[in-house]
Amino acid sequence: MIKFLILILGIVFAGTPYNQKKVLVLSDNPAVYVSHSQFFNLLSKTYRVDYKNIQSNTFNLQLFGEWQYDHLVLFSTTNDLKVSIQELLDFYDSGRNILLLGSTDQSKYFRKFLNSFGLDMHEYGSSVIDYFNNIKGNHNIVTTTNVNILKVDKPVAHQGAGLAMTPYETFQVYGLVRGSETAFSGSNLSHNIIYVGATQGRNNARFVSTGSWEILSDEYLNNSNLGNFELTQEIIRWGFGQSKILKAENLIHRRLDSDDIKPYNYRLREDCYFSIDIFEWDYQKDQWIPYVSTENDVILEFVMLDPYYRVPLKKGQGAKYELSFKIPDVYGVFQFKINYLKPGYTFLKIAEKITVRPFRHDEYGRYLVQAYPYYFSSFGTMAGFVVFLIAFLLNK
């Protein structure tokens, strides 16, 4: 009877919020829990949320060497966080995700923290202005349809400061929502104005920052003509690792004429078959589904010191990507490598080491085409010697 009760309790508690991942929300302004109620409702549907004051000492990101939360939401203010910037970066480096809702008057602490991710907040007191794309003629409430990576079908409203990216584009820093062509903020023109920026680490941890709190506020989320509600959903899904998550498995390589999987070595100029299964997480179905790349950009490299081959894999059945090729005429230690860095998706880095050996002495052809002149000269010499011998013996 006791075992039965324990089993029932286990099943019940397995479906409670206590089994969900934990999010810590830090803010020193209680008004945000009213002005951003829609955002918090969306957050609490999927996660177990703890709310703490940014100045409080009653929370610990890490306790006894264990991180206490999976994700972190920060409402930036003029006050500094009690936690050091290095501890926040350690939290991120451990593979956890951070969402920062910025503001133009945020403290140097938050600006310095933002700089750690290749982003920068515009000048103090600045605000994005757009005389052509705005709401009801208010040029301080701007709109844009320039949304990348995230799926938003309607214009997004923004009010407040903008973000700037590092002068160079990288494969890790993205402008998720950029200003329209007519937007400006002081000396910053449209190409350098970002409303929502993001960084994805090499460990696939994600950091998302907004230029202002208002972009996720109820004022814009409740407006059915705007895409801020969709944007908020997408930020939570993407920023906290629910969407655009890839995994690879079932890596296979073999000789084309053999069923022996993953042989230790290959011979020069052998025909080789390579395949791998790539899946994408579907948060709606709550399962892995085959990943479909429409850009033919899953590249296989066959590398020793430098790639001898760099060719796209062909889409096969289901989740399979495959390719057949000939081993190069060079022996040594090679690697099958896939370094898939598609913007917005988790990075796939795969390497499999193999050896390429030369021909054994009994694997060369009996007669080589290149040696035919030598064969003819040898047999010609022997034939000439026989003719000379006959002529010499029969000649008196």
Side-chain angles (χ1 to χ4, degrees):
M1 184 65 180
I2 295 177
K3 291 182 179 180
F4 177 75
L5 290 175
I6 293 175
L7 178 62
I8 294 297
L9 289 173
I11 294 173
V12 170
F13 283 106
T16 64
Y18 290 92
N19 193 44
Q20 297 172 338
K21 291 187 175 182
K22 296 175 65 178
V23 177
L24 176 63
V25 177
L26 295 177
S27 173
D28 65 354
N29 186 356
V32 300
Y33 302 118
V34 177
S35 62
H36 291 66
S37 61
Q38 289 270 42
F39 167 71
F40 291 117
N41 287 337
L42 291 173
L43 202 61
S44 60
K45 285 180 180 179
T46 311
Y47 303 100
R48 179 186 173 192
V49 185
D50 285 351
Y51 304 93
K52 300 291 183 180
N53 190 292
I54 210 166
Q55 296 290 302
S56 173
N57 292 320
T58 61
F59 68 90
N60 292 294
L61 286 180
Q62 193 175 32
L63 191 63
F64 303 118
E66 297 289 334
W67 294 106
Q68 301 301 297
Y69 298 94
D70 301 287
H71 312 294
L72 180 62
V73 178
L74 299 172
F75 283 81
S76 63
T77 67
T78 55
N79 298 316
D80 293 348
L81 193 61
K82 295 294 184 181
V83 178
S84 68
I85 291 179
Q86 185 57 52
E87 187 171 355
L88 291 179
L89 294 177
D90 290 341
F91 180 86
Y92 177 80
D93 289 339
S94 68
R96 288 160 173 80
N97 307 300
I98 300 175
L99 170 59
L100 172 65
L101 279 76
S103 61
T104 186
D105 59 348
Q106 64 186 11
S107 66
K108 290 183 177 180
Y109 172 96
F110 287 103
R111 288 179 175 266
K112 185 178 179 181
F113 177 61
L114 191 61
N115 294 155
S116 302
F117 296 94
L119 295 166
D120 190 20
M121 181 70 70
H122 288 174
E123 296 81 4
Y124 285 103
S126 64
S127 178
V128 178
I129 296 174
D130 194 328
Y131 290 105
F132 297 92
N133 298 282
N134 53 55
I135 296 180
K136 296 180 179 180
N138 188 342
H139 55 259
N140 288 312
I141 305 178
V142 300
T143 61
T144 182
T145 56
N146 192 354
V147 181
N148 307 300
I149 297 175
L150 308 180
K151 186 178 180 181
V152 180
D153 298 324
K154 299 176 183 178
V156 173
H158 174 81
Q159 180 181 7
L163 303 172
M165 193 184 292
T166 49
Y168 49 89
E169 293 281 347
T170 74
F171 66 91
Q172 291 181 262
V173 184
Y174 317 120
L176 298 181
V177 182
R178 292 180 177 270
S180 64
E181 295 181 353
T182 54
F184 66 93
S185 176
S187 60
N188 297 284
L189 301 178
S190 60
H191 68 276
N192 199 34
I193 295 179
I194 298 172
Y195 301 157
V196 181
T199 301
Q200 181 166 283
R202 294 181 183 274
N203 61 352
N204 289 321
R206 290 168 173 173
F207 170 82
V208 179
S209 176
T210 66
S212 70
W213 294 4
E214 285 77 8
I215 197 170
L216 302 184
S217 67
D218 292 351
E219 179 181 358
Y220 303 128
L221 267 65
N222 291 330
N223 189 332
S224 60
N225 296 320
L226 298 174
N228 291 59
F229 185 82
E230 296 175 78
L231 176 66
T232 304
Q233 289 180 312
E234 287 290 296
I235 287 177
I236 293 174
R237 289 167 185 161
W238 187 88
F240 291 164
Q242 294 180 26
S243 66
K244 299 190 183 298
I245 305 296
L246 301 179
K247 76 169 183 177
E249 58 185 29
N250 298 330
L251 188 155
I252 293 173
H253 59 85
R254 59 176 173 81
R255 295 178 178 86
L256 195 59
D257 57 356
S258 172
D259 294 329
D260 182 20
I261 296 176
K262 294 187 178 181
Y264 173 72
N265 57 44
Y266 290 86
R267 194 198 65 205
L268 301 176
R269 301 198 298 273
E270 276 191 315
D271 291 320
C272 175
Y273 171 80
F274 177 92
S275 71
I276 192 169
D277 294 345
I278 301 178
F279 295 91
E280 180 180 2
W281 179 253
D282 189 328
Y283 60 87
Q284 295 176 326
K285 297 180 180 178
D286 198 30
Q287 65 181 16
W288 293 99
I289 61 173
Y291 170 66
V292 179
S293 173
T294 58
E295 301 176 5
N296 200 29
D297 56 356
V298 182
I299 306 297
L300 172 67
E301 296 180 338
F302 194 63
V303 181
M304 189 158 60
L305 295 177
D306 295 311
Y308 278 77
Y309 292 122
R310 185 182 283 126
V311 289
L313 294 173
K314 298 177 182 178
K315 184 70 175 71
Q317 293 183 347
K320 192 175 296 297
Y321 287 81
E322 57 190 355
L323 180 72
S324 298
F325 65 97
K326 189 178 289 293
I327 299 294
D329 197 6
V330 179
Y331 60 86
V333 178
F334 283 79
Q335 282 186 321
F336 296 104
K337 293 185 72 174
I338 294 177
N339 195 17
Y340 192 58
L341 306 175
K342 188 169 185 177
Y345 285 86
T346 52
F347 305 141
L348 289 180
K349 295 188 177 183
I350 301 156
E352 180 88 5
K353 187 182 297 183
I354 58 106
T355 302
V356 176
R357 62 172 177 81
F359 285 85
R360 294 195 300 264
H361 70 280
D362 60 348
E363 290 181 323
Y364 288 98
R366 179 64 64 183
Y367 296 102
L368 303 179
V369 176
Q370 300 90 330
Y372 278 3
Y374 301 99
Y375 299 151
F376 286 124
S377 64
S378 299
F379 287 111
T381 301
M382 289 187 288
F385 177 75
V386 171
V387 171
F388 171 78
L389 186 62
I390 293 172
F392 180 79
L393 292 176
L394 297 179
N395 186 11
K396 295 182 178 180

